Amino acid sequence: MSTTKGNMDILFERRFELLWPTLSEIRLVLKHVLRALNVKKDEVDAAGLVATEYLTNLIRHNEGSEQHIFLRISQAHNDGYTLTFIDELTPYNLFKKNNSQWKLGSGNLVEGGMGVELIRHYFKEAEYVSDKGKNYFTFPLEHIDKRPTVIYVDDDVTQLALMSAYLKDHFQVVPCESIEAGWQAILTADARILLLDHKLKNGTCEPLLEKLNQSNLKSQLSVVMLTGDDSEEVISKINRLGVDDYLIKPVKKNKLLQSIERVTHRFAYLSYQTTFESTPSKIHLQNDKSAHLFGSISLGNGGDFFMPINDECSAFVLGDMMGHGLQALKESFAIKGFISGFLATGLPYQNMLAALNNALYKQQLCKSSLVTLVICFIEDNKLFWLNAGHPPPVVILNNGKVRQLTGTGPLLGLSKEHNYTLYEAGLDDVEHILLYTDGWTENRFTDKDEIGELTKIIPQDCKTSEEFAHCLWKNSQVTLSKEIDDASLIIIN
């Protein structure tokens, strides 16, 4: 329920610590809350970019002291919203402090120099005001369409026209005459509802559902199936495919609208709260090195997971469950529980990996998911790792060159007995070590040379190892709509 301050209805308000991990948390909140408020995808992405730039400057300005920041989303009128960041710091007016000549189309990354140009490009009416000991950074969100998007797949053009007429007052309808067109719409239309006609002229919509269920996109869609066959066999098959509701044809308009309203209740993100157990953003390792943790593993909000596996924090596990969100998080608990139990035996890490592989092969846990993981430790200025289907580590040398190490074993659970190899690499000429989950590169570097693309975002002239880590994470952020998978990064230096 909203509250009112002045002439504004406050729809969402939360307090955050002004720390580097908060940047990822606020991006996550914006992604869910703004989409729930029907802010158009491009403007959600713009808000994410501007919030990232503003908070980066604010955190740097505040580094070393304990402070908080408020995020408030308000509604001033029926057609738009206002996003406001509120702090009680010494005033830091980014519009006046930033005198960079950086231009948006230059293609160059300039640390701390992109703020004003970026903000003004997306939100010309953005303001920074200080009043009674508080600072307010505000910008309006005006590109709103209250109608959620429905993708409707049916190869009968008459039915497409009829259902589109039923829905057009309440929804944006994307009609598709084939399952191939339906899949493309799922990838591009930012829809909330997938409406399918079960029986098509050349088969059924089942292949589309099977493909959806194997992807990371299922959690974003409510699925309603229309069928002319109410036999027990067909209904049972439909339910096994994971639909949220089905309707027997012919379908009346009010029944269709009621069904869609019912299944979309699970997208009520306005009460969104981050209640997951978070991980420290910096962990001290042996050999005077630190691990800086970013993304899903630092928030504990998905299938990526991080586990120190001894008291000295000299060794750790980085894992990645297939999928993302709550379902992947649930599956990761089973893996972490197994690892914790096995580590209590004191047996070597190789034995633990072999036992976990055997348990997954026998489907004793995680029957509906796959997991990759890497176990790492540093000893005698060498990096050692065991790898089960995970991207191998990347090192950045003292001369700035980027190199991906070689050493990957098969996915867990593919064969009954596999002895995983312990790989090693010397660290004499290494300045930074990067370990990450697939989402970190796939969200940004799809179908590109990962190392070549990574080289482009390596920050230059950082004064400290910690500053390097935070700048690299910031440089790697994508627009919110491109975050199709959980993304996590560990930087050791």
Side-chain angles (χ1 to χ4, degrees):
M1 180 179 295
S2 66
T3 57
T4 301
K5 289 187 179 180
N7 296 321
M8 307 281 274
D9 287 335
I10 297 176
L11 305 176
F12 180 94
E13 186 172 71
R14 273 194 57 199
R15 186 180 76 160
F16 300 87
E17 291 184 272
L18 196 53
L19 301 170
W20 283 108
T22 297
L23 184 58
S24 296
E25 190 173 0
I26 287 178
R27 284 172 58 90
L28 186 68
V29 169
L30 292 177
K31 179 178 179 179
H32 290 301
V33 175
L34 295 185
R35 289 305 302 134
L37 288 169
N38 300 299
V39 177
K40 288 187 176 180
K41 182 174 71 174
D42 289 348
E43 191 151 86
V44 173
D45 288 342
L49 286 170
V50 167
T52 299
E53 182 63 28
Y54 176 71
L55 290 170
T56 297
N57 281 275
L58 206 62
I59 291 169
R60 284 181 177 146
H61 174 60
N62 176 62
E63 203 156 22
S65 61
E66 294 184 7
Q67 293 287 348
H68 294 87
I69 190 167
F70 283 85
L71 168 62
R72 178 185 296 168
I73 301 172
S74 309
Q75 186 170 22
H77 48 78
N78 291 332
D79 298 324
Y81 307 106
T82 298
L83 193 150
T84 306
F85 289 104
I86 307 168
D87 67 77
E88 297 181 358
L89 301 172
T90 302
Y92 183 80
N93 191 328
L94 186 64
F95 297 115
K96 294 181 179 179
K97 296 286 185 181
N98 188 326
N99 296 315
S100 170
Q101 298 302 308
W102 181 85
K103 298 298 180 184
L104 195 68
S106 68
N108 298 320
L109 291 171
V110 181
E111 295 300 329
M114 298 182 283
V116 172
E117 180 75 15
L118 188 73
I119 293 168
R120 289 300 188 206
H121 174 78
Y122 289 110
F123 302 103
K124 290 182 173 59
E125 297 179 13
E127 294 182 335
Y128 182 95
V129 176
S130 298
D131 182 40
K132 298 179 181 178
K134 293 184 178 181
N135 308 303
Y136 301 83
F137 173 65
T138 302
F139 55 89
L141 300 166
E142 298 175 338
H143 297 155
I144 316 296
D145 192 329
K146 298 295 185 181
R147 300 176 303 157
T149 298
V150 174
I151 298 169
Y152 176 36
V153 181
D154 194 330
D155 57 4
D156 185 331
V157 293
T158 303
Q159 285 296 310
L160 281 175
L162 177 62
M163 292 300 172
S164 296
Y166 280 175
L167 298 171
K168 67 178 182 179
D169 291 339
H170 304 278
F171 302 96
Q172 303 175 72
V173 182
V174 181
C176 302
E177 295 184 36
S178 67
I179 59 176
E180 293 78 16
W183 179 249
Q184 288 302 312
I186 289 170
L187 294 176
T188 60
D190 196 27
R192 305 283 187 86
I193 305 104
L194 177 61
L195 182 63
L196 301 172
D197 186 55
H198 180 247
K199 186 69 173 176
L200 304 176
K201 293 171 184 175
N202 296 319
T204 70
C205 273
E206 291 175 19
L208 177 60
L209 267 182
E210 291 168 355
K211 188 173 184 178
L212 178 63
N213 290 335
Q214 293 170 6
S215 75
N216 293 321
L217 304 170
K218 177 63 172 71
S219 62
Q220 302 173 23
L221 285 166
S222 294
V223 182
V224 177
M225 181 76 82
L226 307 179
T227 177
D229 187 345
D230 62 352
S231 67
E232 183 176 341
E233 179 184 358
V234 169
I235 300 306
S236 177
K237 183 185 290 188
I238 288 172
N239 284 329
R240 286 198 302 271
L241 288 169
V243 302
D244 297 283
D245 200 4
Y246 64 87
L247 296 171
I248 307 299
K249 297 193 296 186
V251 178
K252 294 184 178 180
K253 179 179 179 179
N254 64 326
K255 289 290 186 182
L256 179 62
L257 294 175
Q258 287 173 4
S259 173
I260 291 177
E261 181 180 2
R262 182 166 60 249
V263 300
T264 52
H265 280 168
R266 67 189 179 96
F267 284 92
Y269 286 115
L270 290 183
S271 59
Y272 173 85
Q273 294 290 325
T274 302
T275 57
F276 311 111
E277 181 181 354
S278 60
T279 300
S281 60
K282 181 179 179 181
I283 294 177
H284 295 287
L285 306 175
Q286 290 185 335
N287 303 97
D288 296 322
K289 293 185 180 296
S290 296
H292 307 274
L293 277 58
F294 300 95
S296 185
I297 52 172
S298 67
L299 299 176
N301 68 329
D304 296 351
F305 59 92
F306 171 87
M307 293 179 65
I309 56 178
N310 56 27
D311 293 338
E312 301 83 16
C313 278
S314 60
F316 60 84
V317 175
L318 174 63
D320 181 4
M321 301 301 306
M322 183 184 72
H324 71 292
L326 291 176
Q327 182 59 37
L329 176 66
K330 179 181 177 182
E331 296 280 12
S332 74
F333 289 153
I335 297 292
K336 289 189 285 187
F338 184 97
I339 293 173
S340 296
F342 193 93
L343 289 173
T345 67
L347 292 172
Y349 305 144
Q350 289 97 324
N351 293 28
M352 184 267 288
L353 203 55
L356 180 57
N357 176 66
N358 195 40
L360 287 166
Y361 179 80
K362 295 179 179 178
Q363 293 193 322
Q364 294 172 334
L365 71 164
C366 296
K367 297 178 182 180
S368 62
S369 189
L370 296 173
V371 60
T372 71
L373 61 81
V374 58
I375 303 173
C376 292
F377 59 95
I378 296 175
E379 194 172 278
D380 298 328
N381 206 33
K382 290 183 178 180
L383 175 68
F384 296 88
W385 72 98
L386 293 154
N387 193 336
H390 204 83
V394 169
V395 294
I396 301 175
L397 306 180
N398 294 329
N399 61 10
K401 291 186 177 180
V402 181
R403 179 161 59 91
Q404 185 150 40
L405 303 178
T406 55
T408 302
L411 279 169
L412 292 164
L414 294 184
S415 61
K416 185 176 181 180
E417 295 180 1
H418 179 80
N419 294 317
Y420 283 88
T421 301
L422 181 65
Y423 301 100
E424 65 177 82
L427 299 178
D428 290 338
D429 59 347
V430 172
E431 188 168 1
H432 309 281
I433 304 166
L434 311 184
L435 294 124
Y436 53 88
T437 58
D438 278 338
W440 186 63
T441 53
E442 289 177 355
N443 288 345
R444 182 179 179 91
F445 305 143
T446 304
D447 299 327
K448 294 183 178 180
D449 170 37
E450 291 183 5
I451 299 303
E453 292 298 313
L454 176 58
T455 302
K456 297 176 184 178
I457 62 170
I458 298 297
Q460 305 297 322
D461 302 322
C462 292
K463 296 178 181 178
T464 66
S465 296
E466 186 162 4
E467 182 182 357
F468 173 91
H470 288 294
C471 288
L472 177 57
W473 173 250
K474 185 208 168 199
N475 289 352
S476 71
Q477 296 305 287
V478 298
T479 57
L480 297 182
S481 62
K482 290 184 179 179
E483 291 184 351
I484 60 174
D485 194 7
D486 298 322
S488 297
L489 172 66
I490 299 174
I491 302 173
I492 300 173
N493 49 32

